[in-house]
Amino acid sequence: MAAGTKAVLSLDIGSSSCKAALIDDCGRLLAESKASYPIHHPKPGWCDQHPDEIWEGAVRAIRGLTGDGGVARGEGRIGVEAISFSSQIGSYMLIDREGEPLTPFVTWMDTRAAAEAQEMKRAFSEAELQALLGMDIPVGPNWVAPKLRWFHRHRPELLERTRYVVQPKDWVIRQLTGRWLSDNTSAKSAIHRQTLKPASKLLEWAGAGPEIVPPIGLPHEIAGELIPSVAESLGLPGGIPVVLGWNDMNAALLGLAGMPDRTAGFDITGTSEHVGLIERGSFSPVPKYVEGMNWVPFGDEHRVLYGVTSTGGQALKWYVEQIDQFGRANPAGAVDYDEALREAGDVRHGSDGLLFLPYLNGERSPWWNPAAKGVFYGLSPSHDRRHLARAVMEGVGYSMRTIIARLPQRPESMLIAGGSSRNRLWNQIKTDLIGVPFSRLETTEAGCLGAAVLAAYSLGWYSTLREAGSRMIRIAERYEPDRSAGGVYDEGYEKFVELYHALVPVFGCEPSRASKDN
């Protein structure tokens, strides 16, 4: 490691853990650390996270880099010149006038406001929401307005005491700098994306008002400086800039594709999975052939058309921990994913007719059905754990394909990043099932890299985001589709979609209009 290396400390505040990464001005990952925190389920359909646990996770992740044997502030070591962020969104917490939490974070996985989301769909047309928000994404219970309406209905005394409704990144930035600030993409269902003004009509419908939205900035702006006492406790230089950062999808897109000249397909893996296209052009109303999808601005010159499958990497984690190796964890509490993957690799394309619907958390795109459930279908005595493991991975691939089928154009290739992109077998399954090449980044942590690209631009290391991305993004590996698998997966996909529609009445909830198409 060269003396005097300058770097950004990127924090990715995920759904189950905080990742910290040191990334230099050439985009090289110098060191990384990770700390997990729990998701609480106090009632069916409720998913909470405690703000202190998220902050403690961020602290532990940073100290994993700056503690004994980590980076230092002295001569000849890595020079940390800024902190920047990627973060989960759709998780909201009420803050009082003293800056203290009134609630835990009601996460993006929480469905308690499902009824309020349906009320919102009836109260506002698609055109009205597009005019209020400057974007087009289907309404869901993870939006801020349904959640605020739920509090207005069930806990009005908390809403009366609320100063701001904030998200995890806002909370961590406050601990680092003493300031409240959110970015225009993370607050996307509370403000107009272009004007940055609160969506007053929507918030008032929810029982709040525009003043509940914290101050808003742009992702590359400096949110504040690192408080010296906090810096000392973290082993970092005091007074370094804290860059506001982006939501996890946008940060990962920036770290995956930069600001591309050509249309690029992407798969951002994680607990959930974001799949779509990034293209040049300004935001405009969404045509009907992409109902059930999201279309949002991306920077000043690009837009993103995408869908989200609610259960991606979590499906394999659930299967390996709860079924494949239940009770067989090693003394450290870890399970052997490699064993499950080796066995799944021995199974033929299509898992010998076994299908898995990966809807463990309901489903967003393209069905928008929170009542959807996970299902194994087609089990017979000839199937064993190898088939189940492969069917889980193929099920996520089929779910991706339901999203890709709605894109206005088929991507020529896909860029892939995130934790699951470390899994070569899963990358190949997706390549075969979608039928186009996939390219994996040198670093799987595209969100951290995107946060570093933002900081590199903010610090003046590069004159534009486009230049920063082109200098800092590296492709490590390319996967080509096995054409012999195409027919098997085409047939499996048709059965997958048919199975979902057949089970909709059993799931017990009328999905959105988008689910009626395939």
Side-chain angles (χ1 to χ4, degrees):
M1 189 178 300
T5 300
K6 62 181 181 180
V8 172
L9 194 160
S10 293
L11 286 180
D12 183 4
I13 306 170
S15 300
S16 58
S17 65
C18 180
K19 305 179 189 75
L22 283 172
I23 298 174
D24 72 8
D25 57 336
C26 295
R28 292 182 292 244
L29 180 65
L30 305 178
E32 59 184 329
S33 177
K34 179 179 178 180
S36 62
Y37 32 73
I39 300 171
H40 303 280
H41 301 276
K43 293 183 182 181
W46 290 30
C47 296
D48 290 346
Q49 289 186 303
H50 296 165
D52 289 346
E53 291 173 340
I54 288 181
W55 169 240
E56 289 164 6
V59 169
R60 284 185 282 116
I62 294 171
R63 287 177 176 164
L65 299 177
T66 63
D68 294 341
V71 299
R73 290 168 288 176
E75 182 102 16
R77 301 299 297 276
I78 301 170
V80 179
E81 299 198 12
I83 301 174
S84 189
F85 287 90
S86 163
S87 179
Q88 59 163 307
I89 61 170
S91 299
Y92 292 95
M93 173 175 70
L94 305 183
I95 292 292
D96 69 16
R97 287 162 180 78
E98 284 70 48
E100 295 298 319
L102 291 167
T103 68
F105 285 107
V106 180
T107 76
W108 61 268
M109 296 172 278
D110 190 284
T111 59
R112 76 186 71 176
E116 287 76 12
Q118 293 299 320
E119 292 173 15
M120 184 173 157
K121 290 180 185 179
R122 293 190 291 269
F124 298 92
S125 69
E126 293 177 60
E128 286 177 307
L129 290 175
Q130 198 171 97
L132 288 169
L133 300 172
M135 63 174 190
D136 193 344
I137 62 175
V139 174
N142 62 324
W143 280 42
V144 65
K147 288 181 177 180
L148 289 174
R149 190 171 176 89
W150 186 94
F151 278 108
H152 179 70
R153 177 170 289 158
H154 298 282
R155 298 297 305 275
E157 75 284 1
L158 294 180
L159 205 53
E160 289 174 2
R161 294 170 53 196
T162 298
R163 181 189 182 193
Y164 292 138
V165 57
V166 302
Q167 300 192 67
K169 177 165 68 68
D170 311 337
W171 170 248
V172 173
I173 287 175
R174 171 69 189 286
Q175 309 312 304
L176 295 173
T177 68
R179 297 183 61 202
W180 289 116
L181 192 64
S182 189
D183 73 276
N184 63 324
T185 64
S186 297
K188 62 185 180 182
S189 67
I191 65 167
H192 191 283
R193 285 285 296 272
Q194 285 76 42
T195 68
L196 309 189
K197 293 181 179 179
S200 299
K201 187 176 179 180
L202 195 56
L203 296 168
E204 288 166 359
W205 170 86
E211 67 281 354
I212 204 170
V213 178
I216 300 294
L218 298 175
H220 60 268
E221 290 182 12
I222 303 299
E225 295 181 348
L226 184 59
I227 298 170
S229 60
V230 177
E232 184 66 27
S233 69
L234 296 175
L236 291 169
I240 60 173
V242 176
V243 179
L244 185 52
W246 243 346
N247 69 71
D248 50 4
M249 188 196 78
N250 281 34
L253 276 179
L254 183 63
L256 187 61
M259 293 292 179
D261 292 322
R262 299 176 57 191
T263 298
F266 64 85
D267 174 23
I268 303 170
T269 72
T271 303
S272 58
E273 206 138 330
H274 293 67
V275 181
L277 296 172
I278 175 173
E279 58 187 2
R280 297 202 68 172
S282 60
F283 174 78
S284 59
V286 180
K288 291 301 180 185
Y289 53 73
V290 288
E291 281 187 341
M293 301 285 280
N294 308 316
W295 198 351
V296 297
F298 180 66
D300 296 329
E301 299 178 355
H302 292 77
R303 60 195 177 203
V304 178
L305 178 61
Y306 72 99
V308 186
T309 182
S310 291
T311 306
Q314 185 187 15
L316 185 62
K317 182 177 188 291
W318 164 81
Y319 169 74
V320 173
E321 291 181 352
Q322 302 302 325
I323 298 179
D324 187 85
Q325 295 175 38
F326 182 77
R328 296 195 291 119
N330 66 30
V335 295
D336 187 354
Y337 284 91
D338 291 339
E339 177 187 348
L341 296 173
R342 281 193 302 272
E343 293 179 342
D346 294 334
V347 177
R348 291 177 295 184
H349 303 119
S351 301
D352 291 333
L354 183 62
L355 287 173
F356 177 67
L357 299 187
Y359 303 145
L360 302 177
N361 293 310
E363 185 56 304
R364 285 183 277 178
S365 308
W367 315 130
W368 294 93
N369 187 352
K373 298 292 187 291
V375 175
F376 279 109
Y377 173 80
L379 282 165
S380 72
S382 64
H383 292 121
D384 57 31
R385 53 195 261 185
R386 299 172 304 156
H387 295 86
L388 269 68
R390 187 177 184 103
V392 168
M393 290 188 280
E394 289 179 339
V396 174
Y398 286 131
S399 187
M400 284 177 56
R401 186 162 164 174
T402 65
I403 295 171
I404 290 173
R406 289 175 180 268
L407 296 175
Q409 65 184 85
R410 177 185 174 90
E412 295 180 2
S413 61
M414 300 284 288
L415 296 165
I416 186 169
S420 297
S421 70
R422 296 187 181 96
N423 184 328
R424 289 184 170 180
L425 173 62
W426 209 348
N427 291 344
Q428 189 63 54
I429 286 172
K430 290 177 179 178
T431 301
D432 296 341
L433 199 151
I434 305 303
V436 300
F438 275 60
S439 295
R440 178 181 64 83
L441 286 191
E442 189 175 279
T443 174
T444 60
E445 303 303 339
C448 287
L449 180 56
V453 169
L454 283 172
Y457 170 58
S458 180
L459 293 169
W461 296 352
Y462 300 103
S463 59
T464 64
L465 282 175
R466 184 188 303 276
E467 181 188 7
S470 66
R471 295 285 296 275
M472 298 175 71
I473 297 170
R474 290 177 160 78
I475 299 297
E477 193 169 16
R478 183 177 169 92
Y479 298 82
E480 295 290 341
D482 179 353
R483 300 302 176 186
S484 68
V488 174
Y489 283 135
D490 287 345
E491 181 180 350
Y493 174 69
E494 291 179 5
K495 290 182 177 179
F496 179 92
V497 174
E498 183 180 1
L499 178 62
Y500 166 76
H501 287 303
L503 288 173
V504 166
V506 180
F507 293 149
C509 179
E510 178 64 23
S512 74
R513 51 179 168 67
S515 70
K516 300 191 172 29
D517 305 323
N518 57 4

